[in-house]
Amino acid sequence: MPHEVTPRVIVVGAGIVGCSLADELTARGWTDVTVLEQGPLPAPGGSTSHAPGLVFRTGPSRTLTRFAAYTVEKFSSLDVASVPCFEPVGGLELATTPERLAELHRRAGFAASWGVSGEVVSTARCKELWPLLDESVVLGGFHTPGDGLARAVFAARAQLDRAVARGARFLDRHTVTGVAREDGRVTGVHTDRGFFAADHVVSAAGFWGPVVGRMAGVDVPLQPLAHQYARTRPLPELSGATAEATRPILRFQDADLYFREHGDRIGIGSYAHRPLPVDPFAVPPYDEARAAGREMPSSYPFTKEDWAPSWAECRRLLPALRGTEIESGFNGVFSFTPDGMPVLGESRELRGFWLAEAVWVTHSAGVAKAVAEWMVNGRPSIDVHECDVTRFEEAQRSPAYVRERGSQQFVEVYDVIHPLQPMERPRPLRVSPFHTRQQELGAYFLEGGGWERPHWYEANAPLVAELGDGGDGGGVDHGGGGRGGGRDEVAGALGDLGALRDLPARDPWAARHWSPVAAAEARATRERVALYDMTPLRRLEVTGPGALAFLDRVTSNNLRKKPGAVTYTLLLDESGGIRSDLTVARLGPEHFQVGANSPADLDHLLRQAPGDVHIRDITSGTCCVGVWGPLARDLVQPLTGDDFSHEGFGYFRAQRTHIGHVPVTALRLSYVGELGWELYTTADLGLRLWDTLWEAGRDLGVIAAGRSAFNSLRLEKGYRAWGTDMTTEDTPYEAGLGFAVRMDKEHFTGQDALRARPEPTRTLTPLLLDDPAAVVLGKEPVHLDGVPAGFVTSAGYGYTLGRCVAYAWLPAGLAPGTGVHIEYFGEKLPATVAEEPLFDPGMSRIRR
């Protein structure tokens, strides 16, 4: 029987990612795989060749943790000449400050949420695990027995051998010099030793990724940086060591250091030094690097002046080092991106050209598995939106931005990062037309997607006094922690808008990037009217004769409605997973405005669109004000000649009109659970729109409100946030979005998969914390009957309800009233399963 013809794949780079990918592809039947490497095998001189191999699985990203878990699982099954590719010596992260100890409890929460075994341990236990420690400087540690050391070069060789046995070939000393294309699709690569035809080309070139990307005309937002690594002379305390390592890999994050054993020596890596950016286009090839006296291209000379402060900290933690010196050291190059995540996926500009870049050894096998699934099956088995090459905005792709943010990611590798903490530079980058007015009102800005986003306005601080006599009206740590308000319970029977009493105090962590002003803004929205800047919401214009049929085919809800209709719908993948959620306004027979989430939505729609459909991102040229609150109609109606009554302008309807002198597209939507409209206009008229609404609303007590209040209000209504509450791993029925699916439609993407899906075994579940003073922020583990059973997605204080609201993935069928516990910094906070929507279940406040 003849062999089935499989696609021809070229993988550029035979480091740990390239070798892992060849193994994963050939295991799935794609055996026509050629891996091209410019250096010699098995150690070609990239980052893999010098990687110290520490594998810590736990972190705030569930995706990265799962990549790392698979890497550990796979490498644990591999060996080269009976030498194992993974040594499960465990991991130990140390705390020498109270703040770090608290962070270790948070990391233990991540571990429980993502299924990693780990625990916070005492100083004495740390000393048992690492006898060389000076226990007087250690407050505790986080121990993960399943972590350990990956022998990266061996793991690459083991996977290379398996791939070759299935038909793959590895060619070293082949330097790629060009990427061939025809009609927008890759056709192969040119090398210094000939041309190789291909149906798919994968760049797994590590810090050379931008070089290969430029050949393909594809932007690779990656910044290589040099990182110090040193080895000590032999230590008497380790004399007689027969194994490479027996003690856990060690992190001293308070000093930006890590340690591992090398027999009777200790290897030390430091992130404490200044960023050392490397130009990937200037890195010499292997032979030139060797001729210049370097061991490999990725190894730069050790900069002793950068090492001195780190060496002092090493000796403080490990007194045994005071009697020795550094025997050798180098500055090793590896990759950082603006957000610290890998860059994965297929380029739309050049079909068949894939990226698997900015991947550390820790995540290598997991990334390779995901990319192989993506290539062979059309989708990875786990959500990878955090890593998708399409995630960056155009404004985030300039070389200057990538260099600055990549360098900052290096600085912050071991920093304690709050989930709301923004980068400080370069800012401001993207601002709405209302930015000047927001500054005048004392906006406290955070950042997302390059946009400056007001989270509250200091101009509203006087309103805090209205919340009760006990609050101090401030006491907020906008950055590093601080005080909250009073501790009395916030009033709030379901739907009761009686006077809110004192706000509960917040712990220093929850108080960061928060203000009691947010509560005042939420109350003003519930009782009067507020203006919200919704400009950063992505807006797509879809037009053409095939627009309706196209949008109806790729989304789950019924879009075949008359012009003027607005529909909430879902983009599903072929398995029925939620790729995104959309709000689609039909403005004309062939004209739609689509409210989307990320650049990936635009990329996906452009890939799918037929020739008679035109899609344009109009976000930057337009702006939006959300006018919400019970007095929204009183504000807007006098400014327009059109009927804005409930009968004249119903819920989920769209209309073109004028607000004063400004032409707008008005959508009657509300993401905060109150009467109101989203008003869109062009960017040049945005300031005039804001000023018109502001002046008209003075007598109504209008305020500007920020995203902190916005998030509280949307959680009280149970409105989901894609990418946080649900992803491609979740179906509409699991996420509580079955109302947005019309199975009686003729056909839509994911329909067949949904029909075949069994009843959900897990659902997105609303929780109310029992203690009115308790606050959680998201990603915490949820315990049911004393056992971790799920994790929190979104969370925020519900100022109307007087409780913190948390949504969590939990086993299906939990009845309202069921008690659970949410683990927050090691403390298990009682919470109760609630029935949604938590606020205004009859929707009377929106539809009036």
Side-chain angles (χ1 to χ4, degrees):
M1 179 181 295
H3 290 290
E4 181 181 351
V5 176
T6 65
R8 298 165 299 176
V9 180
I10 299 292
V11 178
V12 182
I16 190 64
V17 178
C19 292
S20 297
L21 181 58
D23 182 46
E24 295 289 339
L25 284 171
T26 55
R28 287 165 174 77
W30 281 24
T31 55
D32 191 351
V33 176
T34 300
V35 183
L36 302 175
E37 173 54 57
Q38 64 178 347
L41 291 173
S47 299
T48 300
S49 300
H50 66 66
L54 285 75
V55 177
F56 286 92
R57 291 166 293 169
T58 304
S61 168
R62 183 171 180 245
T63 298
L64 290 188
T65 298
R66 294 162 86 186
F67 284 163
Y70 180 76
T71 300
V72 168
E73 176 188 343
K74 185 176 186 181
F75 288 5
S76 295
S77 69
L78 302 175
D79 68 83
V80 175
S82 299
V83 177
C85 294
F86 184 78
E87 205 68 62
V89 294
L92 180 62
E93 302 179 47
L94 300 176
T96 61
T97 64
E99 182 185 37
R100 181 66 63 179
L101 185 60
E103 171 70 1
L104 295 187
H105 280 285
R106 189 169 76 110
R107 291 180 65 78
F110 292 146
S113 290
W114 315 145
V116 175
S117 176
E119 64 174 336
V120 176
V121 297
S122 67
T123 300
R125 179 59 176 151
C126 292
K127 180 71 171 178
E128 290 177 13
L129 292 166
W130 253 86
L132 301 186
L133 291 174
D134 179 353
E135 68 268 36
S136 70
V137 303
V138 177
L139 301 181
F142 174 49
H143 182 220
T144 46
D147 290 339
L149 287 168
R151 294 183 173 93
V153 173
F154 279 34
R157 178 57 188 267
Q159 293 176 98
L160 179 157
D161 290 343
R162 298 202 318 183
V164 168
R166 300 188 192 108
R169 59 177 176 166
F170 284 71
L171 303 176
D172 63 0
R173 300 292 189 174
H174 281 65
T175 300
V176 173
T177 58
V179 177
R181 73 200 81 177
E182 185 176 332
D183 296 328
R185 184 162 190 91
V186 72
T187 58
V189 299
H190 298 279
T191 76
D192 58 351
R193 299 175 69 174
F195 178 76
F196 293 83
D199 302 299
H200 298 272
V201 172
V202 185
S203 178
F207 58 77
W208 281 292
V211 179
V212 178
R214 180 175 292 182
M215 297 177 194
V218 174
D219 180 43
V220 181
L222 174 162
Q223 175 61 55
L225 288 111
H227 161 62
Q228 290 198 307
Y229 191 78
R231 292 194 193 196
T232 67
R233 297 184 185 279
L235 296 178
E237 292 82 356
L238 300 179
S239 63
T242 58
E244 181 181 357
T246 57
R247 296 174 177 84
I249 52 178
L250 188 68
R251 275 176 166 171
F252 179 20
Q253 289 144 306
D254 289 325
D256 295 312
L257 295 166
Y258 62 83
F259 305 83
R260 57 153 295 180
E261 295 170 289
H262 291 282
D264 60 357
R265 295 163 170 82
I266 292 179
I268 308 164
S270 172
Y271 294 99
H273 56 84
R274 61 194 167 93
L276 299 168
V278 172
D279 180 358
F281 295 89
V283 177
Y286 187 91
D287 292 329
E288 286 185 23
R290 296 281 289 182
R294 286 158 51 184
E295 185 177 351
M296 61 188 78
S298 61
S299 175
Y300 278 67
F302 193 62
T303 50
K304 294 182 178 180
E305 66 276 13
D306 293 311
W307 179 252
S310 294
W311 187 230
E313 290 290 346
C314 293
R315 291 174 159 187
R316 181 168 73 92
L317 181 71
L318 304 175
L321 299 183
R322 296 169 189 169
T324 190
E325 297 295 336
I326 294 301
E327 183 176 68
S328 63
F330 66 97
N331 289 357
V333 182
F334 64 132
S335 304
F336 285 82
T337 59
D339 59 3
M341 301 293 287
V343 178
L344 313 178
E346 184 188 23
S347 165
R348 180 173 48 80
E349 293 81 3
L350 183 59
R351 301 294 181 90
F353 183 80
W354 295 78
L355 296 175
E357 298 291 11
V359 182
W360 295 6
V361 171
T362 299
H363 311 113
S364 55
V367 163
K369 177 173 182 271
V371 173
E373 290 172 337
W374 208 341
M375 296 175 70
V376 175
N377 304 326
R379 63 181 294 273
S381 59
I382 68 171
D383 169 59
V384 296
H385 81 273
E386 293 177 310
C387 311
D388 196 314
V389 63
T390 63
R391 71 187 182 272
F392 294 110
E393 303 281 351
E394 192 62 33
Q396 297 173 304
R397 290 179 171 272
S398 71
Y401 185 96
V402 172
R403 179 185 175 100
E404 189 163 10
R405 287 286 172 100
S407 297
Q408 189 61 25
Q409 287 293 335
F410 177 92
V411 170
E412 294 180 353
V413 161
Y414 283 166
D415 285 2
V416 177
I417 304 295
H418 191 275
L420 292 177
Q421 182 175 325
M423 284 282 192
E424 295 179 358
R425 298 180 308 273
R427 291 179 62 194
L429 185 62
R430 307 175 79 186
V431 297
S432 80
F434 323 129
H435 186 70
T436 300
R437 297 293 181 264
Q438 293 165 346
Q439 289 178 307
E440 292 168 355
L441 293 169
Y444 182 81
F445 291 101
L446 298 181
E447 184 237 27
W451 288 100
E452 294 297 315
R453 303 183 181 210
H455 271 241
W456 68 84
Y457 295 86
E458 291 295 340
N460 296 325
L463 300 178
V464 175
E466 298 178 13
L467 299 179
D469 297 328
D472 63 10
V476 179
D477 184 348
H478 296 169
R483 301 169 288 128
R487 291 196 58 90
D488 292 346
E489 179 180 342
V490 174
L494 195 62
D496 177 13
L497 291 182
L500 291 162
R501 294 197 292 274
D502 298 343
L503 287 175
R506 288 203 172 203
D507 65 85
W509 183 255
R512 294 188 188 186
H513 306 293
W514 174 85
S515 168
V517 173
E521 293 177 359
R523 175 179 179 174
T525 307
R526 291 277 188 241
E527 296 185 346
R528 299 194 299 274
V529 61
L531 305 183
Y532 288 83
D533 181 2
M534 306 304 292
T535 300
L537 292 181
R538 183 166 304 280
R539 292 173 290 286
L540 309 178
E541 181 183 72
V542 183
T543 58
L548 174 59
F550 166 65
L551 289 173
D552 202 48
R553 173 174 59 82
V554 299
T555 67
S556 64
N557 212 336
N558 175 31
L559 299 185
R560 296 185 179 276
K561 303 172 184 177
K562 294 179 180 179
V566 181
T567 306
Y568 177 80
T569 187
L570 304 172
L571 272 179
L572 304 180
D573 63 19
E574 294 291 348
S575 73
I578 304 171
R579 181 185 289 274
S580 188
D581 61 344
L582 308 176
T583 302
V584 181
R586 190 175 188 187
L587 304 180
E590 299 179 356
H591 185 189
F592 295 82
Q593 178 173 302
V594 178
N597 286 295
S598 75
D601 295 343
L602 173 62
D603 182 84
H604 175 69
L605 293 174
L606 287 171
R607 289 175 187 266
Q608 303 292 317
D612 60 350
V613 175
H614 310 288
I615 303 173
R616 187 167 64 99
D617 190 330
I618 60 173
T619 309
S620 297
T622 56
C623 59
C624 177
V625 182
V627 184
W628 290 312
L631 301 182
R633 184 175 288 117
D634 299 70
L635 194 161
V636 175
Q637 183 63 83
L639 300 174
T640 179
D642 292 305
D643 183 2
F644 269 55
S645 69
H646 184 63
E647 296 73 21
F649 197 152
Y651 190 54
F652 263 76
R653 298 292 298 173
Q655 183 174 316
R656 285 175 167 159
T657 185
H658 287 80
I659 298 297
H661 296 91
V662 180
V664 302
T665 298
L667 274 56
R668 189 168 168 200
L669 304 175
S670 176
Y671 204 52
V672 301
E674 296 293 335
L675 171 69
W677 289 264
E678 293 178 359
L679 302 177
Y680 297 88
T681 191
T682 53
D684 59 322
L685 291 168
L687 192 58
R688 183 62 178 263
L689 175 62
W690 180 279
D691 288 345
T692 299
L693 294 167
W694 186 261
E695 188 60 34
R698 285 182 181 274
D699 292 341
L700 301 173
V702 70
I703 67 161
R707 293 192 70 86
S708 186
F710 177 88
N711 192 54
S712 170
L713 297 170
R714 73 97 180 167
L715 282 167
E716 291 182 332
K717 283 299 294 180
Y719 294 148
R720 278 49 168 163
W722 184 84
T724 301
D725 294 318
M726 71 277 191
T727 68
T728 53
E729 294 184 36
D730 314 308
T731 69
Y733 304 115
E734 293 170 331
L737 298 175
F739 67 87
V741 178
R742 292 291 179 266
M743 293 299 291
D744 56 354
K745 285 174 58 172
E746 181 178 350
H747 178 72
F748 62 88
T749 303
Q751 185 180 45
D752 294 340
L754 289 181
R755 285 198 177 106
R757 285 260 189 168
E759 286 294 312
T761 59
R762 55 193 279 278
T763 56
L764 191 62
T765 304
L767 305 173
L768 286 174
L769 274 74
D770 294 353
D771 182 355
V775 175
V776 299
L777 301 180
K779 301 187 178 182
E780 298 87 358
V782 181
H783 298 260
L784 179 65
D785 297 328
V787 178
F791 60 91
V792 173
T793 57
S794 293
Y797 202 86
Y799 300 111
T800 316
L801 304 176
R803 293 289 189 279
C804 182
V805 180
Y807 273 80
W809 283 104
L810 290 171
L814 296 182
T818 301
V820 299
H821 288 84
I822 300 175
E823 185 178 338
Y824 181 71
F825 287 92
E827 181 181 1
K828 292 183 172 62
L829 306 177
T832 302
V833 174
E835 189 170 1
E836 60 177 344
L838 304 174
F839 176 78
D840 188 26
M843 302 286 282
S844 61
R845 299 182 66 83
I846 293 177
R847 294 177 170 145
R848 57 176 166 186

